[in-house]
Amino acid sequence: MDANAQFPDFAPLATLCQQSFSLPVAEAVPAAVTAPWCLTLLAVEVEAAQLHKLAEFLRECHWQPTAVDILAARPGCNVVRLQLDGDIAFNAARLALLELGLELGLELVLQQGHTQRAPKLACFDMDSTLIQAEVIDELAKIAGVGDQVAEITLSAMRGELDFQQSFRKRMRLLKGFTEASLAEIAPRIPIMPGAQRLLLALRALGCKTAILSGGFTYFAHYLQDNHLAVDFVHANQLEFDGGALTGGVIDPIVDGARKALLLQEIASDLGLSLDQVIAVGDGANDLPMLSLGALGIAFHAKPKVRAEAPQAIDGFGLDAALYLFGLSDGQISALLEASAQ
């Protein structure tokens, strides 16, 4: 049986997936996408009971699977892609699938079939997306104003301050922080698991990449120069005087609206339409750009952001986004080998 299994009804779904998992996924080429929708299932392990419940859900929704591909089948990461035909109202469907995924212990990501392809431009938030830290919070802790900065952040989350107001207040508290201290901190910032693999694979695919961050250019350029294959950087500039932060802000501040504007400007400069662009982020200020492209992936995001973003990945590394481009582990490995040559 071919790993790119075709099936006319729901009953064999679990059986077909189980049989396909026994095949050499690394050598399999995923089927061409011909259906209007794709549903990607990601799980540490996939059990027959989960697949039976998913099949029952699809039957009740009148969503017809037309093909199944196993994109990954290895310890700790199993990925199944279903092509679906049916009258699907996207917003209602993705929320229902988020709820079902929580119930079954799976991640279920819905997207239009034509978006199962490599993008031409990928835009990323930096803090808690490409790196495992919120830099401004880390600086505040070192400066001894961590609690004050945290309270301002909480106030912004409650809607009492917008991002620009909260950013200016937090920067004032960092007045006097030295550039020498920043240079010591930068090498210690942990990279998000999967970030380097994802960016190298995107470069091998010919995709341009951008950091669009409410953080700082100082750290974004450090990542670009030392760790991450990034083409463009847009973030907030730190203002120094005598080797220390002034506490001031250099306009324009990169907030959610500016991220969305920058994404559109970069795409226009590259001659790309928005359906050739994806965006990835974790915060509420990422939602404007997540709503623009072919895919808007909330990564390890808070429940509110996950519920509003078009797509979401929670329990895997950043490179799991490659499965939403229709790539199998074998194809991803080949891209990474090519990028190393």
Side-chain angles (χ1 to χ4, degrees):
M1 175 181 168
D2 188 359
N4 305 322
Q6 301 289 327
F7 50 99
D9 54 43
F10 298 93
L13 178 57
T15 301
L16 284 172
C17 286
Q18 288 175 313
Q19 290 174 343
S20 296
F21 272 123
S22 68
L23 296 171
V25 175
E27 299 175 7
V29 176
V33 175
T34 57
W37 299 95
C38 285
L39 176 62
T40 303
L41 178 161
L42 301 96
V44 173
E45 294 182 4
V46 178
E47 299 177 357
Q50 294 169 313
L51 294 171
H52 283 302
K53 289 182 180 179
L54 175 60
E56 182 180 349
F57 174 86
L58 297 176
R59 185 189 301 111
E60 291 174 352
C61 293
H62 304 290
W63 301 346
Q64 178 67 47
T66 62
V68 59
D69 286 284
I70 308 303
L71 302 183
R74 52 188 165 85
C77 182
N78 294 276
V79 182
V80 182
R81 183 191 68 187
L82 301 175
Q83 295 191 45
L84 297 178
D85 197 2
D87 185 13
I88 296 179
F90 177 71
N91 282 330
R94 68 177 179 80
L95 290 172
L97 287 165
L98 279 175
E99 184 176 343
L100 179 65
L102 288 172
E103 176 188 336
L104 298 182
L106 304 170
E107 296 192 28
L108 299 169
V109 185
L110 183 67
Q111 63 191 106
Q112 290 183 294
H114 71 84
T115 66
Q116 272 264 326
R117 62 181 184 185
K120 297 296 184 182
L121 171 64
C123 296
F124 296 90
D125 175 47
M126 180 174 66
D127 293 34
S128 297
T129 300
L130 291 174
I131 59 175
Q132 298 182 79
E134 292 288 333
V135 170
I136 195 167
D137 291 343
E138 296 305 311
L139 299 185
K141 291 175 187 176
I142 295 168
V145 292
D147 289 344
Q148 292 168 268
V149 166
E151 178 56 35
I152 294 169
T153 301
L154 183 61
S155 180
M157 290 174 62
R158 291 193 297 257
E160 297 165 1
L161 294 172
D162 64 19
F163 180 84
Q164 293 213 15
Q165 289 175 307
S166 68
F167 184 75
R168 291 178 191 279
K169 290 189 71 172
R170 286 180 289 182
M171 286 306 301
R172 283 197 290 271
L173 290 170
L174 292 176
K175 182 178 180 179
F177 201 96
T178 67
E179 189 168 4
S181 295
L182 294 175
E184 293 176 5
I185 293 166
R188 302 202 299 264
I189 295 174
I191 308 300
M192 186 65 69
Q196 291 169 311
R197 279 172 53 89
L198 174 56
L199 288 164
L200 286 172
L202 286 169
R203 178 159 290 183
L205 288 164
C207 175
K208 297 294 185 181
T209 53
I211 291 176
L212 306 182
S213 174
F216 306 119
T217 54
Y218 186 97
F219 294 96
H221 283 302
Y222 177 86
L223 293 171
Q224 183 185 36
D225 294 340
N226 295 278
H227 297 292
L228 301 178
V230 175
D231 296 297
F232 310 107
V233 167
H234 293 276
N236 294 304
Q237 297 182 61
L238 293 169
E239 186 177 64
F240 294 98
D241 183 21
L245 293 180
T246 66
V249 171
I250 298 176
D251 290 319
I253 294 173
V254 179
D255 57 6
R258 182 149 182 81
K259 287 186 181 188
L261 178 63
L262 287 165
L263 181 149
Q264 294 174 88
E265 288 181 349
I266 296 170
S268 178
D269 290 344
L270 294 173
L272 302 176
S273 60
L274 290 179
D275 66 359
Q276 297 173 294
V277 181
I278 69 160
V280 185
D282 73 297
N285 65 326
D286 295 312
L287 285 169
M289 74 171 179
L290 296 184
S291 69
L292 289 176
L295 296 175
I297 304 169
F299 179 73
H300 293 191
K302 290 181 173 61
K304 181 180 185 299
V305 178
R306 191 183 312 127
E308 293 188 27
Q311 287 80 32
I313 294 172
D314 292 310
F316 297 87
L318 201 57
D319 52 334
L322 292 165
Y323 299 123
L324 305 189
F325 310 155
L327 297 172
S328 69
D329 269 355
Q331 292 171 312
I332 294 167
S333 294
L335 284 170
L336 294 173
E337 288 175 11
S339 70
Q341 294 175 356

